[in-house]
Amino acid sequence: MLSLVWSKDNDVKSKVVDAYTRLYLNPQVQGQRAKAEAIVKNLFALLNGASIGDLTSLNELVYKLMKTSLIPKNVIHLLWEKFAMKDPQTTQEQSKSALKLLGMLARGKHEIVKSNIEVLVSIGLGERAKDDALLVRDTCTILLTLNKNEEKVRDDKQGPLRFSSDHMAFQRLNDILVSSITSPVQGMWVPMAEEAINVVYNLAEHPDKICGHLIKNLIKKIFGEEENLDGSDANIDKAASEETPAPVSCPSYVLARFLAAAGHIALQQVVHLEASILGEIKRRERLKEDSKGEKKKNISTSTSVTQTPRTKEGASETLEDEMGLTGATAEDAEAEYIKKICDHEIVTGGNNLLSLLGSLIVAVCNNPAKYSDLQVQTAASLALSKFMLVSAEFCEKNLQLLFTILEKSRHEVIRSNTIISLGDLTPRFPNIIEPWTPNLYARLRDDSSQVRMNAMKIMTRLILNDMVKVKGQISEMATCLEDDDPRIAELAKSFFSELSKKGNAVYNILPDVISRLSDPDTGIEEAPFRNIMSYLFSFIQKDRQCESLVEKLCHRFRATRTDRQWIDLSFCLAQLSYNERSLRKLQENFACFQGTLSNDDVFGFFSTIMGKCKKMAKPEIKVVVEELELRITTCHEKGVEEEAGYERANQASAAARVLVGKVANTPANKKTRSTRGRTPASRRRRKNDSESEVVPKPQTGKKSTRKSRKKVIEFDSDDEEMMQGTWDEAFEAEKENVEV
C-alpha cells in the first residue's frame, strides 16, 4: 500500500495518508511522552527491513505528513534525542534510524535542520563517524536539505545559505575522508565521499578551494609525497611537471576511491559554475534592474521638469531597456563565458589539478590489462564520463575510448554504468554524440539483461525527449518487445505506447521496421516478427495512414528476394483495417504482388483481407471485392499448377539422370564400353575416319579467327534403337517411382 503514495489520483494519495496516520500516528496510550515514544517506535518499524523502493515511498509519505502538520513537535524533539543517544538504552541502529527520519521530515520543513546544525556536526561528524561511513553519508544528506526546500519561493534579495570555508563541518569532512581512504573496512567510502563533496559545493562559499586541498591531502595520504605536496599550488605544479617521477604504488581499492572522488569533484565543479555561480550573477543582475526600475519610477512621479530632446543613442538605450534586451544580452555573454571556462580551463587547462587527474584517468582506462581490478576499472570509467561532462573538448577527444569501453569491457557493471553516462552526455553535447548513435542502439542486443535494460531506459528517455532522432535503428527497440526478460519487454511496450502519442511517429517508422525485421540477413524469426507487428499495427487507427501503408507495402513486394519476405509483407497487409480507398489501392497495385500468390501463406493472408472487406455494407464495394478475390484466386491456382508442372519436370529429369548414370557405371558397361551399342557399320565408319585423318599443319604463329564448324552427330538405325530403348527404360522407372 505504501507505493500508492505515488498515485496520480489525489483521492488515492489522501486515503493512503489517512490510513498511515490512523495506523502509526494515533497510538492508544496515555500521556504525551508515551504517545511520542509509541509513534517513534512505529516509524522505526517502517524503516526496518525496508527496500530502496520502500524507503523512497516512505520518504514521500513522511514529507506529506510533515507538510500537513500531522507529525507532533514532541516526536521531532524525541527523534533528536534518539539521534544524540541521550537515552542510554538507545542503540546505534535506532540513532541512525532517527537521523534518516529527521532527513525525511526536513524536506517539508528545513528549519528542523537549520536550528540543529551544531548537533549534526558534533555527533554525525564526530567520533562515531570515524568508523561509520553510513552515519557520515546520512548526516551529509540531511545537511543538503538546507538548500533544497521543496517549495522554496525565489527571493532575489536573499541569496542561498552558505557557510565560510573554515566552518567546522568542512574541516571534519576533510579529516574523515583523508583518514579513512586507506581503511580496507570502509566499504561505503565512495557514497560517503560523494555526499560529502555535495555538501561542500552546496553549502561552502569557496568549494573549489576546499576540494583542491582535499585532493592534495588525499594524494599525501596515499602516496606520502609530503615533500612535494605541501598544500601550495606551486609545489603541486612542480611535482606534476617532473618528467621522470618516481614509481609509486597503492592498493587497488585505494586507487579506485581516489579516482571516484576526483570524478565527482569535476562534476560538481561544473554544476557549481553553471548553476550556482551563473545563478548568483543573474540574481544580482535582477537586483540591479529592479533598482533601476524603482529609480525611474521615482523620477516619473516627481515634479515634472522641462524635458530635453533625446539623442539617438539615448533613445536606442531606452528602447533596449524597455524591451529587456540589455539584460538578455548580458546573460548570454555571462553564460558564454562560463561555457568557455568549462570547455578550456577546468579539465583541459594542462597545468591545473583536475587536468592532471584527467590524464591519470585516461591512462587507467587505456590500460585494462595493467589495471585489471574491477573496482579500479569501474571507478575509472565513471570518472572518465564525469570529466567528459565538463568539457566538450575533453569529451570529443576521449569519446572513442568511452565507446570502446562500452563495447569491449568484459564486466557488465562497467557497460551498464557507461550506457547511463552516455545518456547524460547526449543532451549536453548532442552534436558530438550524434554520429555514435548506432553504437547506443547496439547495446539493446547486449548479452547482459542489465545492460539491455539500461540501454532501453536511456534510449526511451532520449527519443521521447527529442534528444535522438528516430532513424532506422528504431527497429532495435522493436525487437525488445520479444526480449527474454519480461521487464525489458514491458519497457518496450511502454515506449511505443508513449511514442504513439507523438503524432504520426509510429506510422513513420513502420515501413523501415518491417524492412529491417524481415530482412533475410539481419531479421528475426517469423513468430517474433508477427508478435511485434501485431502490437505496432494496433497503433494505426487513421484511415489515411492505412491507405498509405497499403500502397507502400505493395510496392515493397518488388524489392523482395525470398518467400519469407512475401509472407511477412502479406501478414502486415492483413493487420490493417480496410475501407473503400484502401481497397482501391490494393486493387491498383495488384501487379506488385501478383507473382507471389502461388505461395499458400501469402494467398491465405490475402484471403483474410478479402474476408475483412466483404463485411462492408455497400453493394458497389462488394462487387470490387468479389472481382479482386476472383483475380487473387485465379492467380493462386495458376501459380500452383505451374509450380506443379515445374516440379514434375524436375523429378522426371532427375530420375532420367540417375538411371542413365546407373546404366553407364555397371561393370559390364565398363568392360565393353568401346564396342557396346555400336553396329558394324558404325565401327567401319569410325575406322575409315581414323585412317583418313590428316596430320595437322604446324602453326605459323598466326591464330585463325574463323570459328570451326560444330560436328553434327549422326546416328545409324542401330544407335537410334539403342537410345530409344534407354529413354523408355528411364521413363518406366520414373513411372514406377510416382506410383510408389
Side-chain angles (χ1 to χ4, degrees):
M1 188 174 69
L2 191 58
S3 60
L4 293 176
V5 74
W6 302 103
S7 175
K8 295 181 180 180
D9 191 345
N10 292 328
D11 292 337
V12 173
K13 288 193 289 188
S14 62
K15 288 180 180 178
V16 171
V17 173
D18 294 340
Y20 275 91
T21 302
R22 185 173 62 257
L23 292 174
Y24 292 93
L25 301 183
N26 290 324
Q28 302 301 319
V29 293
Q30 299 295 328
Q32 294 295 325
R33 179 74 180 184
K35 185 176 180 180
E37 290 277 0
I39 293 174
V40 170
K41 184 178 180 180
N42 291 338
L43 294 176
F44 285 171
L46 286 174
L47 281 176
N48 292 335
S51 63
I52 296 177
D54 294 336
L55 287 175
T56 306
S57 301
L58 182 61
N59 193 350
E60 183 69 14
L61 176 64
V62 173
Y63 165 70
K64 293 184 178 298
L65 292 173
M66 191 64 192
K67 292 302 295 182
T68 53
S69 302
L70 294 175
I71 304 292
K73 292 183 179 180
N74 56 351
V75 171
I76 300 173
H77 183 72
L78 182 60
L79 286 173
W80 280 111
E81 291 182 0
K82 294 284 186 182
F83 167 65
M85 299 182 69
K86 290 185 178 180
D87 186 356
Q89 297 181 354
T90 304
T91 63
Q92 293 278 355
E93 293 299 323
Q94 289 177 341
S95 177
K96 294 180 184 179
S97 298
L99 182 61
K100 288 182 179 178
L101 288 171
L102 288 170
M104 296 177 185
L105 294 170
R107 282 185 59 202
K109 190 176 181 181
H110 68 281
E111 287 80 6
I112 296 174
V113 181
K114 194 173 183 179
S115 58
N116 293 278
I117 293 178
E118 294 182 2
V119 178
L120 278 173
V121 174
S122 60
I123 298 175
L125 303 178
E127 291 296 325
R128 288 169 51 191
K130 292 183 179 180
D131 300 323
D132 194 342
L134 286 177
L135 178 62
V136 179
R137 187 196 65 178
D138 293 339
T139 302
C140 293
T141 301
I142 194 173
L143 284 172
L144 287 172
T145 59
L146 291 171
N147 273 342
K148 292 183 179 180
N149 191 15
E150 297 288 333
E151 298 181 1
K152 184 177 180 181
V153 180
R154 192 185 80 180
D155 186 6
D156 290 337
K157 294 183 179 180
Q158 183 180 1
L161 176 64
R162 290 192 177 271
F163 302 104
S164 61
S165 299
D166 57 352
H167 193 275
M168 183 61 66
F170 308 132
Q171 295 179 6
R172 293 198 175 184
L173 286 174
N174 182 85
D175 295 341
I176 291 171
L177 293 178
V178 172
S179 62
S180 60
I181 190 171
T182 56
S183 175
V185 298
Q186 289 284 15
M188 296 295 293
W189 192 92
V190 173
M192 173 187 70
E194 289 180 351
E195 284 295 277
I197 294 167
N198 292 341
V199 168
V200 171
Y201 273 97
N202 280 275
L203 297 178
E205 289 184 352
H206 302 287
D208 48 348
K209 292 183 178 180
I210 296 175
C211 288
H213 287 295
L214 172 63
I215 292 176
K216 296 171 187 177
N217 293 332
L218 290 175
I219 295 175
K220 290 179 185 178
K221 179 69 175 179
I222 297 170
F223 303 112
E225 297 288 337
E226 296 188 7
E227 66 276 7
N228 291 331
L229 303 177
D230 60 357
S232 63
D233 294 338
N235 288 332
I236 283 283
D237 297 338
K238 180 181 178 181
S241 60
E242 292 181 357
E243 295 183 358
T244 57
V248 294
S249 62
C250 66
S252 58
Y253 68 89
V254 177
L255 178 60
R257 292 173 181 179
F258 177 71
L259 295 179
H264 200 66
I265 288 174
L267 178 62
Q268 288 300 313
Q269 180 67 25
V270 71
V271 172
H272 174 68
L273 285 174
E274 295 184 351
S276 300
I277 298 298
L278 188 58
E280 180 65 15
I281 292 174
K282 291 180 179 180
R283 184 185 70 86
R284 295 181 181 182
E285 288 293 332
R286 287 193 296 268
L287 287 176
K288 289 181 180 179
E289 291 177 5
D290 293 341
S291 62
K292 289 181 180 179
E294 290 180 359
K295 289 180 179 179
K296 290 180 180 179
K297 186 177 180 180
N298 294 334
I299 293 173
S300 63
T301 56
S302 61
T303 305
S304 59
V305 295
T306 304
Q307 297 183 354
T308 58
R310 297 179 181 178
T311 62
K312 288 186 178 181
E313 182 178 358
S316 62
E317 290 179 357
T318 306
L319 182 60
E320 288 181 356
D321 292 341
E322 290 177 356
M323 297 179 66
L325 297 178
T326 305
T329 305
E331 288 183 2
D332 292 342
E334 292 154 359
E336 189 65 27
Y337 178 69
I338 296 292
K339 183 178 181 298
K340 182 180 178 181
I341 292 175
C342 294
D343 286 342
H344 304 293
E345 297 185 17
I346 298 180
V347 295
T348 56
N351 292 325
N352 59 68
L353 193 55
L354 288 179
S355 177
L356 298 173
L357 293 177
S359 302
L360 172 63
I361 293 169
V362 172
V364 173
C365 292
N366 269 320
N367 294 278
K370 182 178 181 180
Y371 304 96
S372 59
D373 185 78
L374 177 58
Q375 289 185 357
V376 173
Q377 283 297 314
T378 304
S381 59
L382 275 176
L384 178 66
S385 303
K386 292 179 179 180
F387 269 66
M388 291 170 68
L389 280 167
V390 176
S391 167
E393 179 182 344
F394 189 89
C395 176
E396 190 171 8
K397 183 179 179 181
N398 297 284
L399 191 58
Q400 185 174 0
L401 172 61
L402 189 65
F403 273 100
T404 302
I405 294 172
L406 175 64
E407 297 178 6
K408 303 296 183 181
S409 176
R410 296 180 290 108
H411 307 289
E412 68 172 359
V413 62
I414 296 178
R415 300 199 304 274
S416 298
N417 291 342
T418 306
I419 192 68
I420 294 173
S421 302
L422 286 166
D424 294 329
L425 280 168
T426 302
R428 183 163 176 81
F429 306 119
N431 295 332
I432 298 176
I433 305 296
E434 194 272 335
W436 298 86
T437 303
N439 300 75
L440 296 177
Y441 280 106
R443 290 305 94 204
L444 293 170
R445 292 181 180 262
D446 196 278
D447 296 334
S448 169
S449 60
Q450 185 60 46
V451 177
R452 294 199 305 273
M453 180 174 292
N454 287 350
M456 188 71 206
K457 292 178 180 178
I458 293 302
M459 296 309 300
T460 297
R461 177 169 61 87
L462 294 177
I463 293 174
L464 294 181
N465 290 327
D466 298 324
M467 298 295 177
V468 171
K469 295 179 180 179
V470 179
K471 294 185 177 180
Q473 294 86 2
I474 195 68
S475 59
E476 300 291 345
M477 304 283 284
T479 57
C480 293
L481 290 167
E482 288 292 305
D483 195 274
D484 296 334
D485 193 330
R487 299 174 299 172
I488 299 176
E490 288 298 323
L491 285 174
K493 288 183 179 179
S494 300
F495 163 73
F496 283 104
S497 178
E498 292 297 322
L499 186 65
S500 64
K501 300 175 183 178
K502 298 173 69 67
N504 299 326
V506 176
Y507 160 77
N508 292 332
I509 66 171
L510 263 179
D512 194 66
V513 171
I514 295 171
S515 177
R516 288 177 177 268
L517 295 187
S518 63
D519 188 273
D521 299 327
T522 61
I524 60 176
E525 297 296 329
E526 184 174 340
F529 175 85
R530 295 187 180 183
N531 294 335
I532 292 171
M533 289 298 109
S534 297
Y535 182 77
L536 294 181
F537 273 98
S538 65
F539 298 110
I540 305 300
Q541 303 294 337
K542 298 179 181 179
D543 291 340
R544 286 191 176 182
Q545 293 179 351
C546 293
E547 296 163 13
S548 178
L549 282 175
V550 167
E551 186 173 11
K552 289 181 179 179
L553 293 176
C554 287
H555 287 168
R556 282 188 178 270
F557 274 97
R558 298 185 182 275
T560 53
R561 294 176 290 165
T562 62
D563 292 1
R564 165 68 194 282
Q565 290 176 300
W566 299 349
I567 297 171
D568 290 342
L569 289 175
S570 57
F571 172 80
C572 294
L573 283 171
Q575 304 306 306
L576 294 168
S577 58
Y578 286 81
N579 57 12
E580 183 178 358
R581 290 184 178 179
S582 55
L583 183 60
R584 296 286 184 186
K585 292 288 185 183
L586 194 65
Q587 187 180 31
E588 292 171 2
N589 295 279
F590 182 81
C592 297
F593 57 86
Q594 179 180 1
T596 67
L597 291 172
S598 59
N599 186 285
D600 292 335
D601 292 331
V602 175
F603 175 71
F605 288 124
F606 276 97
S607 299
T608 303
I609 296 173
M610 294 298 99
K612 289 182 179 180
C613 296
K614 283 182 179 179
K615 297 178 182 179
M616 299 180 185
K618 295 182 179 180
E620 58 273 15
I621 297 179
K622 288 186 177 181
V623 173
V624 176
V625 173
E626 292 174 357
E627 179 185 349
L628 183 58
E629 184 178 19
L630 179 61
R631 294 178 66 186
I632 291 173
T633 306
T634 303
C635 288
H636 172 67
E637 293 175 352
K638 184 179 179 181
V640 170
E641 291 178 359
E642 290 178 354
E643 288 188 357
Y646 293 148
E647 187 66 25
R648 287 195 299 271
N650 290 334
Q651 289 178 358
S653 177
R657 286 195 299 269
V658 170
L659 186 57
V660 171
K662 288 182 178 180
V663 172
N665 292 328
T666 58
N669 256 359
K670 291 182 179 179
K671 291 180 181 179
T672 61
R673 183 175 56 182
S674 60
T675 60
R676 183 177 177 86
R678 296 181 183 176
T679 62
S682 63
R683 286 198 294 270
R684 284 194 302 271
R685 186 170 60 251
R686 290 174 181 269
K687 183 177 179 180
N688 295 332
D689 291 341
S690 62
E691 290 177 353
S692 61
E693 284 182 357
V694 180
V695 178
K697 294 180 181 181
Q699 295 182 358
T700 59
K702 186 175 181 181
K703 194 171 182 181
S704 174
T705 59
R706 179 179 296 179
K707 293 184 179 179
S708 60
R709 181 179 298 177
K710 292 184 179 179
K711 294 181 179 181
V712 179
I713 300 175
E714 297 181 355
F715 296 96
D716 55 11
S717 60
D718 294 334
D719 289 339
E720 291 178 358
E721 291 175 0
M722 185 61 191
M723 290 300 296
Q724 183 64 34
T726 303
W727 283 107
D728 291 340
E729 290 175 4
F731 282 110
E732 286 295 326
E734 179 197 355
K735 184 177 180 181
E736 291 176 0
N737 292 333
V738 173
E739 289 176 355
V740 172

